[in-house]
Amino acid sequence: MHATLLKLLESDFPAITRNTVNTIQVNLGYKCNQTCLHCHVNAGPNRTEMMTDDVLEKVVDLLQHPTITTIDLTGGAPEMHPGFRNLVTRARSLEKKVIDRCNLTILFEEDQQDLADFLANNGVEIVASMPCYSPENVNQQRGSGVFDKSIAALQLLNRLGYGKSDTNLSLHLVYNPQGPTLPPDQHKLEQDYKRVLFEKFGVVFNQLFTITNMPIKRFGSTLISKGTFDNYLSLLKNHFKSVNLEHVMCKSLISIDWQGHVFDCDFNQQLNMPIKNRNKALHLNDLDVSILSHHKIETADHCFGCTAGNGSSCGGALGKSTQSKRPN
């Protein structure tokens, strides 16, 4: 696999600092029941990295900080971690919002038959991967048969109340472009998703999040292999919009890897660009959340992926921007 960090470090991305931290995104490990082309963590069935019980306890300790309102669980497939359910119930007992980054097909794995009920009973918000409403495109990006399983999973979640206007069970879908292009307008695409999925499958959901593919890890390596890495990076840079800088996820979020190291975002985590305090990489053992307010965020050229076009974050587009303007 081709490394991408050296192609990103010499950057003219503008300096930004963090506001108050209210969300911790926790990567429980890289094991996953799928292998997707765009995956920026290289997750798959053969990955063995998993967060230890000691680190999980430190995550729970961190949740008790008064500014933290949300824990965003990711992987891999976070549900495959044996401590996933215990972490969810403990976070909910602390009255924290819990987000599960779910690939949908995990609901039908042999040892996960009651997973959907567990998520509903605990009021977990689901952010589900659904890169298209076309079977061909989904299966091409995520694997043969994934589309049909994803639709069945969405129908199951709907039966439990997810995505319905009269419940508090939020179900959001995530769109990633098929290749080295920017996502289309989020609102317009959401309307298409809602129309097609309801008319063909009776599926409803709350919001669609459009997320730009980052030129790192598996996707970045593919770009290098095809000789399109530089062109894609130029696309991101040429569509930079400064208005997005105030709304990028790293302004209010920190990312924690399976070993307990602390990063500004999940993408920096995969590039091994940790938050530093006094030139030392930050770990949960040494973390004081209060010191991260107004702390400089580590940036490189991949950050243009979050600020290009209408912007991109774990919560989808950042909003409609005005005009494109490269930083000086």
Side-chain angles (χ1 to χ4, degrees):
M1 180 173 294
H2 302 286
T4 59
L5 180 58
L6 291 179
K7 299 175 74 68
L8 300 168
L9 280 178
E10 190 174 336
S11 176
D12 57 353
F13 192 84
I16 53 175
T17 56
R18 180 177 288 98
N19 297 325
T20 301
V21 177
N22 58 40
T23 299
I24 58 171
Q25 188 171 70
V26 181
N27 191 312
L28 293 178
Y30 301 152
K31 188 176 181 64
C32 187
N33 62 318
Q34 292 183 184
T35 306
C36 302
L37 176 62
H38 67 279
C39 181
H40 65 275
V41 303
N42 297 336
N46 297 321
R47 298 298 295 265
T48 59
E49 299 92 334
M50 287 284 190
M51 185 172 282
T52 65
D53 290 343
D54 287 344
V55 176
L56 280 171
E57 285 299 320
K58 290 181 174 62
V59 169
V60 174
D61 290 342
L62 179 59
L63 278 174
Q64 298 179 59
H65 190 277
T67 70
I68 304 298
T69 61
T70 302
I71 179 170
D72 187 343
L73 299 175
T74 185
E79 307 90 347
M80 296 184 77
H81 192 289
F84 171 81
R85 300 193 188 198
N86 180 258
L87 179 58
V88 168
T89 55
R90 294 176 73 181
R92 294 297 290 145
S93 71
L94 293 170
E95 299 184 343
K96 307 299 180 179
K97 176 181 177 180
V98 178
I99 299 172
D100 177 27
R101 302 272 165 178
C102 180
N103 67 22
L104 294 176
T105 63
I106 190 68
L107 300 180
F108 299 117
E109 289 295 307
E110 187 174 346
D111 59 344
Q112 301 287 351
Q113 296 297 315
D114 62 341
L115 175 60
D117 288 309
F118 170 82
L119 296 173
N121 291 337
N122 284 278
V124 175
E125 179 174 307
I126 296 177
V127 178
S129 304
M130 192 68 178
C132 191
Y133 48 73
S134 160
E136 294 78 16
N137 287 343
V138 172
N139 291 336
Q140 178 182 356
Q141 191 178 88
R142 305 187 75 85
S144 178
V146 168
F147 181 82
D148 289 342
K149 281 188 176 180
S150 297
I151 292 297
L154 291 172
Q155 292 169 334
L156 169 60
L157 292 171
N158 281 171
R159 290 195 294 272
L160 292 172
Y162 272 103
K164 303 288 184 68
S165 59
D166 58 347
T167 73
N168 292 321
L169 296 175
S170 296
L171 171 62
H172 308 305
L173 302 187
V174 173
Y175 166 88
N176 293 89
Q178 292 291 307
T181 61
L182 291 177
D185 179 84
Q186 180 170 282
H187 177 67
K188 292 180 179 177
L189 187 60
E190 179 181 286
Q191 291 178 317
D192 289 340
Y193 261 70
K194 287 190 171 182
R195 174 179 53 82
V196 173
L197 291 179
F198 182 74
E199 289 179 356
K200 291 190 174 181
F201 308 105
V203 166
V204 296
F205 64 95
N206 297 102
Q207 289 181 269
L208 178 73
F209 298 156
T210 57
I211 297 182
T212 301
N213 291 327
M214 286 290 165
I216 64 176
K217 290 295 183 173
R218 189 176 291 152
F219 184 72
S221 179
T222 300
L223 293 175
I224 293 174
S225 297
K226 293 182 176 180
T228 57
F229 184 94
D230 292 339
N231 288 341
Y232 184 60
L233 197 55
S234 293
L235 174 73
L236 300 180
K237 289 185 174 185
N238 290 336
H239 287 81
F240 169 82
K241 291 182 178 177
S242 58
V243 70
N244 291 326
L245 287 172
E246 281 304 309
H247 306 288
V248 288
M249 58 187 174
C250 53
K251 297 284 286 186
S252 60
L253 170 149
I254 56 173
S255 173
I256 300 164
D257 76 0
W258 63 277
Q259 298 177 94
H261 300 111
V262 186
F263 301 80
D264 293 303
C265 70
D266 196 38
F267 305 122
N268 281 11
Q269 180 186 139
Q270 298 312 312
L271 289 169
N272 195 27
M273 295 171 55
I275 296 175
K276 293 181 179 179
N277 185 34
R278 297 177 181 175
N279 294 320
K280 179 183 177 183
L282 200 58
H283 190 275
L284 282 178
N285 289 334
D286 313 304
L287 177 61
D288 176 2
V289 173
S290 302
I291 70 170
L292 296 182
S293 295
H294 311 297
H295 195 279
K296 179 185 176 183
I297 293 169
E298 298 290 329
T299 60
D301 268 0
H302 65 291
C303 299
F304 285 105
C306 289
T307 51
N310 287 327
S312 177
S313 75
C314 287
L318 302 177
K320 294 190 179 297
S321 305
T322 51
Q323 60 184 21
S324 299
K325 183 179 180 182
R326 285 292 314 281
N328 296 324

